[in-house]
Amino acid sequence: MPRPRQPLISRTGAVAAAIEIIDTEGLDALSLPRLARHLDVRAPSLYHHFDDKSEILGAVVAAIVADTVVPRKPPPERWVDWFVQLSLNLRRVVLRHRNAAPLLLQYPPRDLLADLYEDAARFLEASGVPAEVHVQILDSMDTLVLGAVISEAARTPAARRAIFPNVDAERQPTLARALERNEFTANQLFEEMIRSFLHGVLLLAGQRTASADTASADAAEAVAPS
C-alpha cells in the first residue's frame, strides 16, 4: 500500500487514538480503517509509523504500561514495599483500560519494555536480595500481577461488587463464613498477595541455603579422618 510522502499524524497521536477507540468501543472495534477515520486521515497515513495492526496493538500495550507511575526507591530493607506499590500502580493503570487488558497476554510487557525489568533487577541487587531468586521474582511477579489484573478487568460490573459474587450461605456455608470474616477489599487482597509472595520467596530461599549448608557440613564431617 503506498504511503504519503509526509506523515499527516504522529505515532504518539495514533496510539492515543487507538487506546481511545478500544476504551470506548471495545478491542474488536479497532481496525486500520476505523483508526484512520478517527484521526481524519486515510489508512495509508498509518503506515508511516506502523507496519500493521499488530504493531499498533503492541504500541498500545507499551503506552499503557509506560503510564504506570514508578515509585521512588525506598531504603534497601523496604524493597518489598517498592514492588507492592509498583504492582498496585500497574493494576490501577490497566483497570483504567479494561478493554485493552487481554492484549497484555498477546504482547507481554517484558517483550516490549526490557529496561523496566533491568531497573527492577538492579534494585533487587542493590537491596541485597540474593541473585539466584531475581529471575524467580521478576518472572513470577509478571504471572501474578498480570494474571490477577487481566482476570479482574474481565469481570462484569455486577461481579466486581463482590469477591465471590454467587455464594449461597446454605449451599456453601464455610465459604460464606469466610467471607463474613474477611476484612480485605479487592485492592487489599491484591496487595497482600504480592507482599506474601515476596516474603515467601525470601523465606524459602533462606531455608534452601540453610539446608545446603547443613548438607555440606554433614558431608565434610563424614569424610573427615576420625
Side-chain angles (χ1 to χ4, degrees), residues 143-187:
T143 301
L144 282 173
V145 174
L146 295 181
V149 173
I150 292 169
S151 175
E152 185 174 359
R155 300 182 74 181
T156 64
R160 295 171 202 163
R161 291 193 289 268
I163 297 171
F164 288 89
N166 300 310
V167 175
D168 185 315
E170 293 186 0
R171 297 181 59 187
Q172 299 96 22
T174 308
L175 180 56
R177 287 194 299 272
L179 287 169
E180 289 179 0
R181 297 293 299 274
N182 173 59
E183 298 180 351
F184 295 118
T185 65
N187 191 69

Side-chain angles (χ1 to χ4, degrees), residues 6-216:
Q6 296 295 328
L8 301 177
I9 55 174
S10 69
R11 180 182 176 91
T12 301
V15 172
I19 292 174
E20 183 178 347
I21 292 171
I22 294 170
D23 285 346
T24 58
E25 302 176 30
L27 186 55
D28 290 340
L30 182 67
S31 65
L32 293 179
R34 176 68 186 87
L35 180 56
R37 289 198 305 273
H38 188 87
L39 293 165
D40 197 25
V41 297
R42 295 176 64 85
S45 296
L46 296 169
Y47 290 95
H48 271 290
H49 305 289
F50 309 99
D51 288 336
D52 50 28
K53 180 181 176 181
S54 179
E55 187 176 351
I56 294 174
L57 294 176
V60 164
V61 171
I64 290 173
V65 174
D67 199 34
T68 303
V69 175
V70 178
R72 180 176 299 179
K73 302 293 193 304
E77 63 272 14
R78 293 183 52 207
W79 69 271
V80 168
D81 293 337
W82 184 83
F83 275 92
V84 169
Q85 189 58 57
L86 180 64
S87 301
L88 287 168
N89 292 350
L90 175 60
R91 174 180 179 270
R92 190 175 301 113
V93 167
V94 174
L95 292 181
R96 287 205 303 261
H97 305 284
R98 290 176 181 269
N99 291 338
L103 293 175
L104 292 166
L105 294 175
Q106 189 176 356
Y107 304 91
R110 69 172 68 187
D111 293 350
L112 304 170
L113 302 164
D115 286 345
L116 295 180
Y117 293 81
E118 168 67 13
D119 181 57
R122 287 180 179 176
F123 183 53
L124 287 172
E125 183 177 69
S127 299
V129 178
E132 58 267 24
V133 298
H134 288 185
V135 170
Q136 179 187 359
I137 289 173
L138 297 176
D139 179 69
S140 299
M141 285 288 291
D142 253 15
T143 301
L144 282 173
V145 174
L146 295 181
V149 173
I150 292 169
S151 175
E152 185 174 359
R155 300 182 74 181
T156 64
R160 295 171 202 163
R161 291 193 289 268
I163 297 171
F164 288 89
N166 300 310
V167 175
D168 185 315
E170 293 186 0
R171 297 181 59 187
Q172 299 96 22
T174 308
L175 180 56
R177 287 194 299 272
L179 287 169
E180 289 179 0
R181 297 293 299 274
N182 173 59
E183 298 180 351
F184 295 118
T185 65
N187 191 69
Q188 290 168 334
L189 285 170
F190 177 85
E191 178 178 346
E192 290 303 311
M193 174 186 70
I194 301 302
R195 195 178 300 279
S196 299
F197 164 72
L198 292 171
H199 283 300
V201 168
L202 279 192
L203 177 63
L204 292 176
Q207 291 175 350
R208 287 195 299 269
T209 298
S211 296
D213 290 345
T214 299
S216 297

